[in-house]
Amino acid sequence: MTDATLKPKSVDGTEEHGAEKSRPEKASTVEAAPPPDAIEPNPDLTPEEAEQARKRYLLRRFWISARRYWSSSGDRLAWPCSIGLLAMICMNVGFQYGINRWNRGIFDAIERHDAGTVYYLSAVFVPLVLGSVALVTAQVYVRMMIQRRWRSWLTAVVIARWLANGRYYQLNLIGGDHTNPEARISEDLRIATEAPVDFIAGVISAFLSASTFIVVLWTIGGALTLPVAGMTITIPGFLVVTAVLYAVITSTVIAIIGRHFVQVSEVKNQVEAELRYTLTRVRENGESIALLGGEEEERNDLDKTFSNVLKQWALLARQHMRTTFVSHGSMLIAPVVPLLLCAPKFLAGGMTLGEVMQAASAFAIVQTAFGWLVDNYPRLADWNACARRIASLMTSLDGLERAEQSDALRRIKHGETQGNAILNLNDLSVSLDDGTAVVKETQVEIAPGERVLVAGESGSGKSTLVRAIAGLWPWGHGSVDFHADRRLFMLPQRPYIPSGTLRRAVAYPRAADSWTAEEVKAALAKVGLDYLNEKIEEDAPWDQILSGGEKQRLAFARLLLHHPDIIVLDEATSALDEKSQDRMMETLIEEMPTVTIISVAHRAELEAFHSRKITLERRKGGAKLVSDIDLGPRKARRSLIMRVLDNRR
């Protein structure tokens, strides 16, 4: 959870005008349609059948979003590039046929010792090669442009949905197969958009090549007559029959020995993602691990995770070895087969040398076309795994979006207050996504300028209540109503420090140049961080450099710059000593005397800076509000004590 400036939301959950949030234009138009209906598991299916049904649904779910790239709300260059790629594939097959005919002509001329024809065909070969090379190069450019633009478009769609309405945070609170969303968006989505373009282009090219050169083989080879036991057997189109049988045998063998490729590749991608996640957690929590001396335990965990990676790589290597054995053997045998088949007719004078070489070339092209799927089976398996992983994330986002649009699951409403109140909690109950109550039937009205302290024992739901107020926790019922055109700013216990300069960290979530350097320095000085003023333009890992107390001070400096109307403090001073805590609260009240403050804290000293205290008590069936008292007199006594101490100092 991070500190951020939020606008109050309307009853239906949409952002009010003027909100400081934005989303990609393309993504917002694409995802205007409701998410696809979820498929409930069939109880009559066996676990294996249910898993297969789930995988089929995930692939279909991926295409539901991915194919919109070619819709009216997709990329304007999607269809022109696709049609251009198809045209270039067809032209390239034409060049292949031209080179195949050139083979026949050059070898026939060599057989006849026709020097003039040899020289002429040698000159013709240059433009054929140059044209084919230029065409293939252009084809690669267009193909990769489609992949790049498709990935960019779909990434924008997924990220927009992931960031919308705090779903990136809510995913941590619900069950489902959506762990490591950052790896799914960056790596799995890349493979999921690159591979289909290669597959479709490859299949079209293979189909056109096979169709064209099967005709060539049928025309050149003709029929083969063989004497068998005193009889003659005629095989029409024997070269075509041989090519098809050869391809069927090799493809069948590959399919049999590689039938587990998809499953092994999927598990390999999963354990790779788990290793990346584990390494990231070690880096992000390096200070805590170092202070606790947990290197050995982390090493054991990393070794265990990496062992799973090596195990899956070993299984994948075996699959590659088996398929390579067949595919490489087929590649060596394929050029020899047509020569052996054509040799009897050539020796009998039924075929010229040029026709033999043309047949050999055509046979090799047909085998390459038929064997394309076999050669690309590992990539197909990898794509299956990656498409399912990104679809799993989409499915979880679908569930959150469906819950936002449906009345089946009770959700907290957000609206506008009536009268002078700046914030109302109307019969607010907060629950988990499965309906388990956390906080029940809270009724609170907060006036502008009030400073309210939310207290209660650990586990009573204080932080959950605060998240519901901020709009980050959707489950429950009742409503949270804000005064119109009021901004809310939340400070969590662990402030978020973005990468980049210190100036950017203070200005976040606005841009670093939203305030002048002098204004940023003044804010830092007010919270006791003036010794960092000379470093505000320094780009450094400030999240690692600053201590917990310094981060919380920086968050208060951020508050002073943004100057919101409502502030929610969730243990925002827990890393500060009492004196520093008092200074932060005094500075906050002095700089923004009319601001409304809602605090969650355990320290009794904070009561002096609040005018009101509400207490939550954990009970069976959910915590309830048990007291709501005025802290005015206590605050006055605290202020008197502080003035006496100041005079003594």
Side-chain angles (χ1 to χ4, degrees):
M1 184 174 176
T2 61
D3 44 352
T5 305
L6 303 173
K7 288 289 288 184
K9 295 184 177 181
S10 60
V11 174
D12 62 356
T14 56
E15 296 291 337
E16 292 290 343
H17 61 83
E20 298 181 9
K21 289 186 177 182
S22 62
R23 64 180 64 181
E25 180 180 351
K26 294 180 181 178
S28 61
T29 58
V30 170
E31 291 303 321
D37 293 334
I39 296 180
E40 297 296 330
N42 188 342
D44 298 330
L45 297 178
T46 65
E48 293 77 12
E49 292 172 337
E51 178 63 16
Q52 290 302 317
R54 184 187 73 87
K55 290 181 177 180
R56 287 193 296 271
Y57 170 74
L58 289 177
L59 288 180
R60 185 158 64 88
R61 176 62 190 91
F62 171 77
W63 284 114
I64 288 174
S65 288
R67 70 191 180 196
R68 291 178 184 170
Y69 174 71
W70 285 271
S71 69
S72 58
S73 57
D75 187 357
R76 59 185 178 84
L77 295 181
W79 278 111
C81 290
S82 301
I83 294 172
L85 180 61
L86 177 61
M88 283 186 281
I89 291 173
C90 295
M91 293 170 64
N92 189 46
V93 173
F95 271 95
Q96 281 184 318
Y97 178 72
I99 293 174
N100 180 259
R101 289 297 302 267
W102 181 89
N103 277 328
R104 175 176 177 174
I106 192 72
F107 281 102
D108 280 343
I110 291 174
E111 185 181 25
R112 297 193 307 267
H113 302 284
D114 186 352
T117 302
V118 170
Y119 294 146
Y120 169 75
L121 290 176
S122 299
V124 169
F125 184 68
V126 175
L128 276 175
V129 171
L130 291 178
S132 180
V133 169
L135 193 61
V136 170
T137 303
Q139 182 178 324
V140 169
Y141 174 78
V142 174
R143 174 173 54 81
M144 296 189 71
M145 183 169 69
I146 294 174
Q147 292 171 327
R148 183 181 70 252
R149 295 180 70 90
W150 189 17
R151 179 190 179 187
S152 174
W153 179 88
L154 189 56
T155 299
V157 168
V158 175
I159 289 180
R161 297 188 65 212
W162 183 50
L163 294 179
N165 301 327
R167 293 173 194 156
Y168 61 94
Y169 171 72
Q170 295 169 11
L171 285 176
N172 300 321
L173 309 175
I174 63 174
D177 182 18
H178 50 253
T179 57
N180 308 331
E182 62 282 354
R184 297 171 190 254
I185 295 174
S186 61
E187 184 64 16
D188 292 323
L189 197 147
R190 177 186 65 81
I191 297 174
T193 51
E194 284 183 0
V197 179
D198 291 336
F199 292 153
I200 294 174
V203 167
I204 293 175
S205 179
F207 174 77
L208 293 176
S209 297
S211 302
T212 301
F213 290 98
I214 280 177
V215 174
V216 172
L217 289 176
W218 187 280
T219 303
I220 294 175
L224 178 64
T225 301
L226 298 174
V228 178
M231 298 184 300
T232 58
I233 298 177
T234 301
I235 305 175
F238 73 100
L239 288 178
V240 175
V241 173
T242 304
V244 172
L245 287 176
Y246 187 87
V248 168
I249 292 171
T250 55
S251 300
T252 303
V253 173
I254 287 289
I256 292 174
I257 66 176
R259 62 187 182 277
H260 299 302
F261 228 126
V262 174
Q263 180 181 356
V264 173
S265 182
E266 186 172 357
V267 176
K268 186 268 297 181
N269 288 342
Q270 178 64 35
V271 296
E272 289 277 16
E274 291 174 0
L275 177 62
R276 289 193 297 270
Y277 178 71
T278 304
L279 291 169
T280 300
R281 282 187 56 82
V282 172
R283 176 179 58 80
E284 292 178 345
N285 298 278
E287 181 180 4
S288 299
I289 294 171
L291 292 175
L292 293 172
E295 292 84 356
E296 187 64 30
E297 181 62 25
E298 294 297 331
R299 177 61 181 269
N300 292 336
D301 189 31
L302 286 171
D303 287 344
K304 180 180 178 181
T305 306
F306 189 58
S307 296
N308 291 335
V309 173
L310 293 179
K311 178 181 177 181
Q312 293 304 318
W313 265 106
L315 294 175
L316 190 63
R318 292 172 193 162
Q319 294 289 335
H320 275 290
M321 289 170 59
R322 294 168 183 167
T323 55
T324 301
F325 176 81
V326 178
S327 61
H328 189 69
S330 173
M331 180 186 68
L332 295 176
I333 297 172
V336 180
V337 172
L339 295 177
L340 297 177
L341 292 175
C342 293
K345 296 191 71 171
F346 172 73
L347 296 175
M351 293 182 70
T352 65
L353 178 61
E355 288 175 333
V356 172
M357 300 310 296
Q358 185 183 14
S361 175
F363 190 91
I365 293 173
V366 170
Q367 286 308 307
T368 301
F370 278 133
W372 183 89
L373 184 60
V374 174
D375 295 336
N376 287 270
Y377 194 78
R379 285 199 65 198
L380 179 62
D382 203 27
W383 173 81
N384 266 279
C386 292
R388 287 170 184 163
R389 280 177 54 78
I390 193 66
S392 295
L393 176 60
M394 291 177 176
T395 302
S396 295
L397 294 174
D398 291 343
L400 291 174
E401 187 175 345
R402 197 176 292 111
E404 293 166 5
Q405 301 172 356
S406 172
D407 295 329
L409 293 176
R410 306 183 73 179
R411 296 178 66 84
I412 299 170
K413 298 179 180 179
H414 294 265
E416 295 183 0
T417 58
Q418 303 295 326
N420 295 325
I422 196 170
L423 175 64
N424 276 340
L425 308 183
N426 296 316
D427 193 27
L428 179 64
S429 293
V430 184
S431 62
L432 302 179
D433 63 315
D434 61 1
T436 304
V438 178
V439 179
K440 293 190 66 177
E441 301 170 357
T442 302
Q443 188 74 32
V444 176
E445 180 177 307
I446 299 176
E450 270 197 296
R451 299 190 289 274
V452 181
L453 178 65
V454 181
E457 62 181 349
S458 296
S460 59
K462 303 185 300 300
S463 294
T464 306
L465 177 63
V466 165
R467 294 184 181 102
I469 293 173
L472 296 178
W473 192 287
W475 301 287
H477 65 86
S479 66
V480 178
D481 300 331
F482 290 94
H483 193 284
D485 299 324
R486 293 295 189 270
R487 290 185 307 145
L488 180 148
F489 203 104
M490 186 166 184
L491 260 64
Q493 184 175 6
R494 298 177 57 186
Y496 173 64
I497 308 297
S499 59
T501 64
L502 186 63
R503 181 176 176 179
R504 182 190 179 220
V506 181
Y508 190 84
R510 300 268 298 270
D513 57 359
S514 299
W515 292 275
T516 64
E518 288 69 25
E519 290 173 322
V520 174
K521 290 179 180 179
L524 289 174
K526 289 175 183 178
V527 297
L529 294 178
D530 48 309
Y531 56 87
L532 295 175
N533 280 345
E534 300 304 320
K535 300 180 179 180
I536 65 168
E537 302 295 347
E538 184 177 329
D539 191 338
W542 293 107
D543 188 52
Q544 305 296 326
I545 295 174
L546 300 178
S547 66
E550 288 174 323
K551 292 178 186 178
Q552 291 190 340
R553 286 172 179 267
L554 186 144
F556 274 89
R558 193 179 286 169
L559 269 182
L560 299 180
L561 289 179
H562 285 272
H563 211 285
D565 304 292
I566 308 171
I567 299 172
V568 179
L569 307 176
D570 186 5
E571 298 286 358
T573 59
S574 60
L576 300 174
D577 58 82
E578 184 177 345
K579 182 179 178 181
S580 299
Q581 174 183 265
D582 290 347
R583 180 180 176 183
M584 290 301 101
M585 297 302 297
E586 289 168 359
T587 301
L588 182 60
I589 295 171
E590 289 173 4
E591 294 292 327
M592 293 182 285
T594 61
V595 72
T596 302
I597 300 176
I598 303 173
S599 297
V600 171
H602 290 89
R603 291 181 176 178
E605 297 84 358
L606 282 171
E607 293 183 5
F609 302 98
H610 294 80
S611 57
R612 184 176 168 192
K613 178 182 178 181
I614 61 177
T615 303
L616 289 174
E617 183 178 289
R618 184 170 56 187
R619 294 182 177 181
K620 185 177 181 180
K624 295 199 68 173
L625 176 64
V626 295
S627 69
D628 187 345
I629 60 175
D630 183 10
L631 295 176
R634 185 179 300 183
K635 177 188 173 185
R637 290 196 299 270
R638 172 75 174 179
S639 299
L640 177 61
I641 294 172
M642 292 301 297
R643 286 198 297 271
V644 171
L645 292 176
D646 288 341
N647 290 334
R648 288 184 179 180
R649 286 195 291 267

